[in-house]
Amino acid sequence: LSFIFFVLFFLSNLTLILNDVGLYLNGSEHIYLKKEVYTAMRWLKESSREDSVVFSSYRTGNLLFAFSTRQVYLGHGHITANFEEKSAKAEKFFKDSNDKEKLSFLRENKIDYIFWGPREREEAHFNPEEKDYFEKVFENNSVSIYQFNN
C-alpha cells in the first residue's frame, strides 16, 4: 500500500514539473510575462501617483495590479467590484470607435492611464496614438502607456 502511494505521489509531482517545464519552454503568456510588459508595469509603479487608475484588458489587469501596485479598472474577477458590468464596458471601450463615449467612460471611471500592450492591441478597434486626449508617456518594443488628458 505504501509502495502504491509513493508511486502515485511521485508521478503526480513529476507530471506537474513536466507541465511547468513545458509552459516555460513554450513561453506561455498565460504564465510568463514578456520582459517589456514587466518593464512597463514597473514604470507605472515608479512614475505614477499611488492613487492612479489604469485601464487595460482583463488579462493584463490581473497582473498589472501586482507589479505596479496601482488600481486597475478591471482585474481579477473576485476582487473587482461589479466585475461582469465592468468587463462588458471594457469590451465595448475596446471595440467602439465613438470618441464621445470613450471620453465619457474615461472621465466617469477616473482613468489616468491606458496600458497598451499586445493583448490590448489584439482586442481594440482603435489606436490611442491617433487620439488627441491621450499623451504617450512610456514606450518600449511591446508596450505603450498613455496618460489620459482630461
Side-chain angles (χ1 to χ4, degrees), residues 15-73:
T15 302
L16 289 172
I17 290 168
L18 290 175
N19 186 49
D20 284 351
V21 169
L23 290 171
Y24 174 76
L25 293 175
N26 291 327
S28 173
E29 289 187 28
H30 298 290
I31 307 297
Y32 298 99
L33 283 176
K34 289 183 177 180
K35 184 176 181 178
E36 293 88 0
V37 174
Y38 173 76
T39 301
M41 291 178 178
R42 295 296 298 176
W43 180 89
L44 271 169
K45 179 177 183 163
E46 296 164 3
S47 304
S48 64
R49 293 183 335 266
E50 286 186 22
D51 63 343
S52 297
V53 178
V54 184
F55 182 76
S56 66
S57 69
Y58 160 71
R59 290 178 56 187
T60 300
N62 270 336
L63 299 172
L64 186 57
F65 173 75
F67 293 109
S68 71
T69 66
R70 299 300 178 256
Q71 181 178 345
V72 295
Y73 173 78

Side-chain angles (χ1 to χ4, degrees), residues 4 9 33 91 105 120 138:
I4 292 172
F9 182 72
L33 283 176
E91 184 176 338
F105 171 84
E120 289 73 20
F138 175 87

